[in-house]
């Protein structure tokens, strides 16, 4: 039975990946930091089927211990300070976790067992101020936030360890992917959560920043399958994972509010506090290579994704559930 170690297992992607790997017959070990604020709600339905191990991307010794104790065949590094807005107020911490944390984990693999296969969660935010549309594996990076800069470092150090030490290390350049498990700090979930609150009469206003920003939004459950295809590929290659279609924040609002028969103009207020110091205007990926070489393509449409998230938040509000 193959064994996978997932860092960031309590997050959106980590929980969906754990679900998927369990279905594939993997033993799953999730690395978690020792913290009084850990929230296990995303993995509560599988907590008796996985093993949790203490470890921290800021502490290489703990990473070595996790690898030595559990001896995974594959490592999926999904842990990071992953909120772009927070990276502006915590740039050094973002660099320590999202950038240098990748080096610590790669070096731990090199020391303990260089045959371990490694997946790094890269991001479309690395493209930032895009130089071409759509973005492919050959598009130059131009990050526009401390988070994007940190992800570029994590991406290139993964390439460097592959080329320097022969590690089977790959990066998935994933464009925006959402779900009902998305954190409330992200704009998509902020919208669907507030739509549900407004529909239930608990709120009458939603404050947002730039409504014109355009993103390539897919379903997280689809994207974790691409991660698995990448790490199972005998040839370590980096891939762009995206839907190839772009939508504005305003379009997201139109679909979400329209789904519950509301007009977003009646509730949305643009607030300059939520505008980034340096904005990324448009991201849209070309996943042709992943489609051709891995046979991967997204299954859930944009409209279906938005409605899925609204339905989930309507149910959460109705049942009095307040997950992060």
């Amino acid at each position: 039975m193959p064994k996978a170690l997932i860092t960031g297992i309590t997050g959106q992607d980590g929980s969906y990946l754990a679900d998927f790997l369990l279905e594939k017959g993997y033993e799953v070990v999730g690395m978690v930091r020792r913290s009084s604020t850990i929230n296990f709600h995303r993995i509560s339905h599988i907590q008796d089927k996985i093993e949790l191990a203490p470890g921290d991307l800021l502490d290489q010794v703990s990473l070595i211990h996790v690898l030595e104790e559990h001896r995974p065949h594959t490592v999926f590094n999904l842990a990071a300070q992953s909120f772009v807005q927070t990276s502006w107020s915590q740039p050094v911490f973002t660099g320590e976790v999202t950038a240098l944390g990748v080096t610590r984990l790669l070096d731990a693999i090199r020391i303990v067992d260089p045959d371990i296969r490694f997946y790094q969660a890269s991001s479309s935010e690395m493209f930032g101020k895009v130089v071409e549309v759509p973005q492919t594996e050959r598009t130059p990076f131009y990050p526009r936030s401390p988070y994007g800069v940190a992800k570029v470092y994590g991406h290139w150090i993964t390439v460097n360890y592959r080329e320097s030490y022969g590690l089977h290390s790959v990066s998935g350049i994933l464009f925006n992917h959402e779900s009902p498990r998305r954190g409330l700090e992200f704009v998509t979930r902020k919208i669907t959560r507030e739509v549900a609150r407004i529909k239930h009469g608990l709120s009458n206003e939603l404050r947002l920043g730039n409504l014109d920003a355009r993103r390539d939004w897919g379903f997280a459950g689809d994207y974790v399958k691409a991660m698995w295809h990448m790490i199972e590929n005998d040839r370590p290659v980096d891939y762009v994972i995206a839907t190839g279609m772009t939508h504005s924040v305003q379009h997201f609002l139109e679909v979400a509010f329209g789904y519950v028969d509301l007009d977003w103009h009646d509730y949305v207020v643009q607030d300059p506090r939520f505008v980034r110091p340096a904005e990324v205007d448009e991201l849209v990926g070309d996943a042709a290579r992943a489609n051709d070489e891995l046979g991967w393509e997204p299954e859930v449409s944009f409209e279906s994704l938005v409605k899925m998230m609204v339905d989930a938040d309507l149910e959460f509000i109705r049942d009095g559930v307040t997950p992060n």
Side-chain angles (χ1 to χ4, degrees), residues 139-154:
T139 303
F141 300 137
Y142 195 148
R144 297 272 282 171
S145 67
Y147 169 78
V149 172
K151 279 295 185 181
V152 169
Y153 177 96

Side-chain angles (χ1 to χ4, degrees), residues 20-195:
F20 179 74
L21 293 179
L22 288 171
E23 291 175 3
K24 287 287 183 182
Y26 279 70
E27 287 185 59
V28 175
V29 179
M31 193 181 84
V32 294
R33 290 177 297 147
R34 291 197 181 278
S35 169
S36 60
T37 59
I38 294 177
N39 195 328
F40 293 106
H41 74 270
R42 293 186 183 92
I43 58 171
S44 59
H45 63 292
I46 55 170
Q47 212 163 332
D48 61 339
K49 300 176 183 178
I50 62 177
E51 186 172 357
L52 298 178
D56 196 319
L57 290 180
L58 299 179
D59 181 5
Q60 187 169 2
V61 173
S62 72
L63 302 178
I64 291 173
H65 286 165
V66 170
L67 296 177
E68 287 180 334
E69 179 178 353
H70 295 281
R71 296 290 174 176
H73 301 90
T74 59
V75 172
F76 293 87
N77 183 38
L78 310 185
Q81 190 301 99
S82 58
F83 187 41
V84 174
Q85 193 71 30
T86 297
S87 76
W88 290 105
S89 58
Q90 299 183 29
V92 175
F93 175 71
T94 299
E96 284 285 352
V97 177
T98 307
L100 291 178
V102 185
T103 310
R104 296 184 186 101
L105 188 49
L106 281 166
D107 215 47
I109 289 171
R110 181 184 66 83
I111 292 168
V112 175
D113 182 1
D115 289 330
I116 292 173
R117 294 190 174 195
F118 175 80
Y119 172 87
Q120 165 62 12
S122 288
S123 168
S124 60
E125 288 287 332
M126 301 188 303
F127 295 120
K129 188 176 181 179
V130 298
V131 299
E132 64 180 8
V133 177
Q135 293 87 56
T136 72
E137 292 83 0
R138 296 183 178 276
T139 303
F141 300 137
Y142 195 148
R144 297 272 282 171
S145 67
Y147 169 78
V149 172
K151 279 295 185 181
V152 169
Y153 177 96
H155 178 87
W156 281 118
I157 200 67
T158 300
V159 173
N160 186 263
Y161 269 66
R162 178 170 72 219
E163 296 179 348
S164 300
Y165 299 113
L167 297 188
H168 193 288
S169 55
V170 300
S171 285
I173 307 173
L174 272 58
F175 281 65
N176 294 64
H177 45 287
E178 317 299 317
S179 76
R181 301 180 191 178
R182 194 51 141 160
L184 294 174
E185 68 272 22
F186 291 88
V187 67
T188 52
R189 185 71 195 291
K190 183 177 180 180
I191 291 171
T192 62
R193 182 70 172 176
E194 210 58 30
V195 165

